[in-house]
Amino acid sequence: MQLLALIGAAFLVYWVLTHLGFVFGLIFAFAKFIILALGALVILGIVMQMISGKKDAENTDQKTAEDPIDEPPADRTWFEVLGVSEFASPDDIKRAYRDLIRQYHPDKVGAMGEKIRELAMRETQLINAAFQEARLSRGF
């Protein structure tokens, strides 16, 4: 009787180890496949990003007639940027600043595309710098 129990226990251990090994083997084989597939997707994504980056770099170097966005001249004075007279009152300067910020703030054009947002960001920075220069030069 003890010999049958010992043989049964040995067979049970053998069966569990062989089947668990098979199950773990499948799991590891599947995990290897997933890791390889994810690695391939990452590499493909990097390659696609590099290709699109080259295309974007080529497109930004070429100015076309359809491109409505022109860089504002950097040598404009604060009163030219704000659209006021050089001798405008502080209230007129503040009013012009608020009107321009309302028009060009990036939050206002958030849904209009990346180029428009970039233009709005640059213009807002230019307007803010002009207003700060006006405040410093006029003392308000």
Side-chain angles (χ1 to χ4, degrees), residues 78 82-100 102 131 134-135 138-140:
W78 64 265
L82 294 176
V84 296
S85 164
E86 184 177 1
F87 306 105
S89 70
D91 289 336
D92 290 338
I93 294 170
K94 289 176 187 175
R95 189 176 311 112
Y97 168 75
R98 284 190 211 107
D99 289 344
L100 287 172
R102 251 186 246 116
F131 184 65
R135 289 183 62 200
R138 300 295 297 279
F140 63 91

Side-chain angles (χ1 to χ4, degrees), residues 2-85:
Q2 289 179 346
L3 184 61
L4 284 176
L6 194 60
I7 292 172
F11 178 74
L12 183 64
V13 169
Y14 170 76
W15 184 87
V16 168
L17 289 177
T18 56
H19 284 85
L20 283 180
F22 179 70
V23 170
F24 283 133
L26 285 177
I27 290 171
F28 287 130
F30 191 64
K32 288 178 188 176
F33 173 74
I34 290 174
I35 291 170
L36 288 174
L38 289 176
L41 287 174
V42 167
I43 291 171
L44 181 65
I46 291 170
V47 169
M48 294 298 288
Q49 190 175 21
M50 289 171 54
I51 290 171
S52 69
K54 287 180 183 177
K55 287 181 182 176
D56 289 343
E58 291 170 1
N59 290 340
T60 56
D61 291 342
Q62 300 171 353
K63 288 281 186 175
T64 61
E66 300 105 22
D67 194 4
I69 299 174
D70 292 327
E71 292 290 324
D75 58 343
R76 296 191 309 182
T77 60
W78 64 265
F79 49 89
E80 290 173 333
V81 171
L82 294 176
V84 296
S85 164

